[in-house]
Amino acid sequence: MPRVLVMYGPNLNLLGVREPEHYGTLTLDAVNARVAEAARTLGVEVEFFQSNSEGALIDRLHEARSTHQAVVLNPGGLGHTSVALRDAVAAVGIPVVECHLSNLARREPFRHRSLLSAVCAGVISGFGPESMVLGLRAAAALLQADGQGPRAR
Amino acid sequence: MPRVLVMYGPNLNLLGVREPEHYGTLTLDAVNARVAEAARTLGVEVEFFQSNSEGALIDRLHEARSTHQAVVLNPGGLGHTSVALRDAVAAVGIPVVECHLSNLARREPFRHRSLLSAVCAGVISGFGPESMVLGLRAAAALLQADGQGPRAR
Amino acid sequence: MPRVLVMYGPNLNLLGVREPEHYGTLTLDAVNARVAEAARTLGVEVEFFQSNSEGALIDRLHEARSTHQAVVLNPGGLGHTSVALRDAVAAVGIPVVECHLSNLARREPFRHRSLLSAVCAGVISGFGPESMVLGLRAAAALLQADGQGPRAR
Amino acid sequence: MPRVLVMYGPNLNLLGVREPEHYGTLTLDAVNARVAEAARTLGVEVEFFQSNSEGALIDRLHEARSTHQAVVLNPGGLGHTSVALRDAVAAVGIPVVECHLSNLARREPFRHRSLLSAVCAGVISGFGPESMVLGLRAAAALLQADGQGPRAR
Amino acid sequence: MPRVLVMYGPNLNLLGVREPEHYGTLTLDAVNARVAEAARTLGVEVEFFQSNSEGALIDRLHEARSTHQAVVLNPGGLGHTSVALRDAVAAVGIPVVECHLSNLARREPFRHRSLLSAVCAGVISGFGPESMVLGLRAAAALLQADGQGPRAR
Amino acid sequence: MPRVLVMYGPNLNLLGVREPEHYGTLTLDAVNARVAEAARTLGVEVEFFQSNSEGALIDRLHEARSTHQAVVLNPGGLGHTSVALRDAVAAVGIPVVECHLSNLARREPFRHRSLLSAVCAGVISGFGPESMVLGLRAAAALLQADGQGPRAR
Amino acid sequence: MPRVLVMYGPNLNLLGVREPEHYGTLTLDAVNARVAEAARTLGVEVEFFQSNSEGALIDRLHEARSTHQAVVLNPGGLGHTSVALRDAVAAVGIPVVECHLSNLARREPFRHRSLLSAVCAGVISGFGPESMVLGLRAAAALLQADGQGPRAR
Amino acid sequence: MPRVLVMYGPNLNLLGVREPEHYGTLTLDAVNARVAEAARTLGVEVEFFQSNSEGALIDRLHEARSTHQAVVLNPGGLGHTSVALRDAVAAVGIPVVECHLSNLARREPFRHRSLLSAVCAGVISGFGPESMVLGLRAAAALLQADGQGPRAR
Amino acid sequence: MPRVLVMYGPNLNLLGVREPEHYGTLTLDAVNARVAEAARTLGVEVEFFQSNSEGALIDRLHEARSTHQAVVLNPGGLGHTSVALRDAVAAVGIPVVECHLSNLARREPFRHRSLLSAVCAGVISGFGPESMVLGLRAAAALLQADGQGPRAR
Amino acid sequence: MPRVLVMYGPNLNLLGVREPEHYGTLTLDAVNARVAEAARTLGVEVEFFQSNSEGALIDRLHEARSTHQAVVLNPGGLGHTSVALRDAVAAVGIPVVECHLSNLARREPFRHRSLLSAVCAGVISGFGPESMVLGLRAAAALLQADGQGPRAR
Amino acid sequence: MPRVLVMYGPNLNLLGVREPEHYGTLTLDAVNARVAEAARTLGVEVEFFQSNSEGALIDRLHEARSTHQAVVLNPGGLGHTSVALRDAVAAVGIPVVECHLSNLARREPFRHRSLLSAVCAGVISGFGPESMVLGLRAAAALLQADGQGPRAR
Amino acid sequence: MPRVLVMYGPNLNLLGVREPEHYGTLTLDAVNARVAEAARTLGVEVEFFQSNSEGALIDRLHEARSTHQAVVLNPGGLGHTSVALRDAVAAVGIPVVECHLSNLARREPFRHRSLLSAVCAGVISGFGPESMVLGLRAAAALLQADGQGPRAR
């Protein structure tokens, strides 16, 4: 059974509490419950990780090289500023799907550019918690294709 | 049964033929077959439309106001240049999901900005034909949510 | 009796329906009725044309060379992006007055620049339907001046 | 009878003398005579004010709050540089119509942006002295609408 | 006998009439007569196509895949704005030579960049009608080289 | 007893009336009353000056060289545009504290840069009338330090 | 008694040692002693926190939601680069006052912009250790106003 | 005997006092004494005018149309920001020589561009008080040339 | 018989050796042999000149004023950086055709702009050695036209 | 014996594994072995430190003030984004040599600028593992010079 | 008797021939005759040097260190592009006065910036041949001041 | 014994004389003596070349193709402006190491970008004369690696 790591960057632990006009009212646990449910349907094993520390996220990505086959990553604000996180994504060697709850194109200009997108397999943005579920589906599809078609990246 | 219009902009009629390193080897018909299959699973009725003409795409979007409940739109190159198409998306009043087969962040700088994203519900980019299937799923989720939660946009 | 062509670009057929906070609640027919009324007062014959297609607008502008003495043009979103339409305006040889219903300076940055203005006789922006009526008056004044003063452009 | 203040910024006292290729050969008095004639037709009382001093123009705008119902403002070069004048326009609380004799889009790049436009009701540019007459008409229309429709700004 | 399609974008139907200071006084038919004469010398069969519609130009380019061996393309104003036309050029798979009658470097800044050049075989600009004749010669040379040397692109 | 000049630039005479969402509902006199009260506590003598004229503000700053030991300056819109006012601040030779009622970082981009800040001792922005009181405290602290520590600038 | 958290970002532990020409010669403990003294006068309870780690600062800000009523934040270099810290400030829901010891406008261009300012209540910059004392006063004033006037943000 | 007006903009009244590292230690009167001495040698009559008010400078420039044959203008900080002053220079119709005491290229970036230069006859910058003397010589040369050669502008 | 000077800038002496993926495998002599052959067909006398020194190229261009009727110029890297070479081109008074072997639009951004183009008659780029042959043809056509039509520039 | 700290930022723990086309195939331990060997030759004592956490790197730099005489720093991706790390480098007071394995000028534009370089003694980039050895040599040379010549920074 | 070197960069040998609308109709010899005449009046010995080669100009500037006391430099197009020439000017150690015949602010944008100005004593631009005479006067004044006042730079 | 060419661009002949605060007090001969000494240690034969002429430097680089195995290049000011020199470096086919005596990141912004770096093997900047010695060591290391590992570029 393929293993997918679902990672969240800074401030996503406050989901459901912080700025609900951007991020909705579901807590992180509730979002993860939805993702886990979709994982069962897809026959995928999921693990969740959240940290407010760039270094901890990079460390966890490095470990994922040997523990998982794909990553679904909501980088929070780090996606716009962290070359170090980008380098970690480029280094993991397994497909990473970038997800954002809010539609970044509707927000401040500094959120319109993600440093990560060019090293991720693809990007999903704007569907609230459903962004994470779609991200898992995208990762699952990439893993299926991986065995029989062109490489994910 | 909710009705979703799946639209494609310029040059997507050449899918599977044109630049396979960016767009893969499946033809547009083959991609649509996959989308139609997903539609059956989701209990959604889909219709397909492709045109190389900005004006025809705008006309079709206007019509969709009275014929469909959501749109999945792959705007092709027009997404980067057409304020007129953006205005049409903003005018339709039903949720529009923007999809791109290739990962735009890996391509030329002028493809990094989409004029449409800020008036679409969300964006999906980089998963090849699966982008369209995920787009349909996103649209279906938005329609479900519409009856019981905050508005799609 | 001088003949003036009143042209509208993409999405203006949805006037009164689309985004009333920007464009008001009058339909295009109602706006045109007001313009026609002003035309009668001014002793000018008006004809109306709307299209969502850049090509059709250019074709119509070319024809106007031999059928009208001035043009009042609301280019919609094309004003910000179409060098081809600009070239057509520059080619018609009769004065063209650029009109916008909304005040473009209050909207998104990409609407602050019009490619057409530098080849039009002048610009009127922000007065809702009254923008079109003022545009007709400006065109009429230009035609009057044309017989007896410096050329319109 | 509604009262409209017609204001002119720096250097417009030299109208008819200075750079006729941009501004025409009519003097300021002659232009004002035309505006006054239009005011009689429209049933509007007009007052004229010109100053080369930013401070004097701001002071006069402040006074207009209690003496007039609308302002027609040709800011001259200050429109491109004065945040203070912009703040005064935003502070007056009555509709202000921005007018320019020349077509700014045909001139130096630093004249393409007006700091005032976003706080004015609308903009008229390029019709020579007729710009001021059209500005008065626009102001009159705004005042009429004010009593019975949505607010001018 | 190799077949070359000579295409013209918006407003070039007005050649010889529109802005002669930029485009000269020869009509499109007269230019094409010169090109046809050169074609006879070069042993190349030429076909001409002009449209003011981006969509029609893209459609015709798609068809050229099976009907011609090379394209000589004067995109008019679309060269500066149309990613869709660029994608069509990239998709045709046969060499496309970009031609401009006027010297774009002497005109407005927005004409200094062509979106098409990077996907065309080469660019010729500034020689008036002779630009089209030189473009045909370049295309003929590319076709000759194609059989025996490095690929055209 | 040290003497501090509290200066206000254009439009601040309308405080409490103009755009209360940005500037609050207290009038300038009421704000000054609060500042004067704080001055009494701090053992500082204050004088107030407001003008809508850049020239008058510069003249007053020049005079302050011999009449006061520090200046608290709310430059209004001039802070973003006036090199002349900046030069006057740099020329006075006594510490100047720049104050803004609103939080400039939340407003239009052209308000994000102050030409004055680099020649002032420091900046206080966003606390409404309290910005002026804090500015006076900062000035008082600078004057105290002046006698016994490093120079204010 | 209202509780205020005074936070310092990277490198401020070296205060008094590092680059005294920018930051003065007082150590962090000495600065905090001054702040604590002012807190006693104001009837406010203060707690101090310094970290060189972005993640630890974000974690502490999250906790402050339930432990304090306001934050005085000197973000050090993170203010110019950390969207994650900005998001944390936006998420805390209590007023945050941004403080800088040096006058940022006099330093390198990359220090002229703070990503935090737009989500803070206000900004104080340039008064050395006094910046922190003024920041505490500002926070105290915001808390007083909170009970009886418009919300701090 | 030709008459030349020597004008100074804001803050130049403080010459010799303000920032001597940029402007030297001579007072304005001392500089003018030098200029007057050179005028006697050149057989030119000079008049001096200084103001801190943009409006007063514009008014004086307008008057110079009928009272002088040339202007030597040190605009102070207004040269970098005032379109209105530029328009006044363009409107006077007599040659204006722009002078700066300091070498603007060595100072802050916002001083590297002068809005006036393009409408002045020429520019002299960096020679301290000698800049004004050289400006008078340049004006005298322009007036001599005027009678017998191409126009000054 | 008209005389045309064919000039090459820096590094073109290494043609056929240096970076063949950009410049092909023909040596400069071989390219010149092709150009000479075309010259015979066209009844034009050609002379060749190559230098790695900007100064020598300028000197040769100056001489060409009296020795040749047109210049075909491949400026190499100098085209992107040398205002001095541009001034020499503008000064020669005979038509200059700018040629590049590679398609500059496909290379590094700093090669997308040529300082020379605006003072040349036209530009040919991307056809390898054929660019030089086409350049000669363009020059010949300009010389023919020169006797009977509008001037080359 | 002088002590030099050799520090590595994020992702350099994956050296030899991650993206060998940029970073080569030697592991971090192998690189350090080479550096240690060079240290023995130079009579320098080296210590190694790697972390993926910005905060940990800053903490270690602070400690180096009392434990080492120089630092050789490969900041990884943080060099392009971290003002906090720059401030730490500026604060340590001992010479810091910046090293990069890959040639940053050949990579993405966001890697062309290092925030650290201006506060480091010098920069070495592009020689693979040899960059670190050269960095150590540079540090040793700086330490030697320190005793007898101008200060390292 | 002080010795001043008057240098001219590329293309100034064509003075009086090349583009007279920018540079007038006097030849370089005629201009130099005027400068020599002024030198006699000023009691200064002048030597003239012109070259189209950057290297030769740099070599001559280096020599001037031991042969002259000041330089009057008209750099031609090199002033906008040559860091090497700037470095030579900075290295000579004697005052250099930068002169331009045309008013650079009225010409192409790339001529608005001179790389040399910041290392020259001052700049004179726009007075035709008189620019060189004024430059000599400025140099003479700098040499006089040098003996008795602050250093020229 | 491998042969390395050590080249210096404009103004480096003045080393030790010119601007010692940037370049130190050692003459070029003294620096070269140090480099020669290091060469002996490394078993490398060095030759030195300095020129103020871009053309001469390019010529010498071309020759180095057949006379040397590597180049150590200090381009002086040309590194920031010369595409022609960059093309020569790219054309030589042997590794080129770019060296700068001063730390370019601490100097004027136009020195922060080198056009050469992307075509050199690597860059060393900021260590004074030691930069040249380190550059020789880097070249020697590249030559050693060349025989047994991945290509130098």
Side-chain angles (χ1 to χ4, degrees), chain K residues 54 58 77-87 115-116, chain L residues 77-78 81:
Chain K
E54 181 194 49
I58 293 170
L78 287 176
H80 312 300
T81 64
S82 176
V83 172
L85 190 58
R86 174 193 174 115
D87 287 349
L115 280 167
L116 307 187
Chain L
L78 288 176
T81 63

Side-chain angles (χ1 to χ4, degrees), chain H residues 124-127 130-131 134 137, chain K residues 4 42 70-72 95-99 121-124 131-145 152:
Chain H
I124 293 167
S125 163
F127 304 102
E130 191 68 19
S131 285
L134 291 165
R137 284 189 177 279
Chain K
V4 175
L42 291 161
V71 177
V72 175
V96 178
V97 175
E98 180 181 358
C99 296
V123 184
I124 293 168
S131 286
M132 301 310 296
V133 177
L134 292 165
L136 185 72
R137 285 189 175 280
L142 286 165
L143 291 176
Q144 276 191 306

Side-chain angles (χ1 to χ4, degrees), chain L residues 20-103:
Chain L
E21 73 280 14
H22 286 309
Y23 304 107
T25 55
L26 282 186
T27 63
L28 185 56
D29 282 348
V31 171
N32 284 346
R34 285 203 191 177
V35 174
E37 189 190 314
R40 274 188 296 276
T41 315
L42 290 162
V44 167
E45 190 180 329
V46 281
E47 185 184 335
F48 298 100
F49 181 80
Q50 190 275 334
S51 175
N52 293 326
S53 158
E54 181 194 50
L57 290 160
I58 293 171
D59 288 343
R60 190 67 193 85
L61 265 171
H62 288 185
E63 287 170 38
R65 294 169 56 88
S66 51
T67 58
H68 291 81
Q69 280 77 55
V71 177
V72 175
L73 172 61
N74 181 329
L78 288 176
H80 311 299
T81 63
S82 176
V83 172
L85 189 57
R86 174 192 175 115
D87 287 350
V89 169
V92 290
I94 54 175
V96 179
V97 175
E98 181 182 358
C99 296
H100 299 276
L101 303 185
S102 63
N103 181 341

Side-chain angles (χ1 to χ4, degrees), chain E residues 6 8 30-40 46 48 129 132-133 136:
Chain E
V6 179
Y8 296 92
V31 172
N32 284 346
R34 285 201 190 179
V35 175
E37 191 190 312
R40 275 187 295 276
V46 282
F48 299 100
M132 302 309 298
V133 177
L136 186 70

Side-chain angles (χ1 to χ4, degrees), chain E residues 104-127:
Chain E
L104 298 178
R106 285 197 201 152
R107 302 187 63 195
E108 305 95 324
F110 62 79
R111 288 193 215 272
H112 294 189
R113 184 190 68 145
S114 164
L115 280 168
L116 306 188
S117 302
V119 292
C120 288
V123 184
I124 294 168
S125 163
F127 304 103

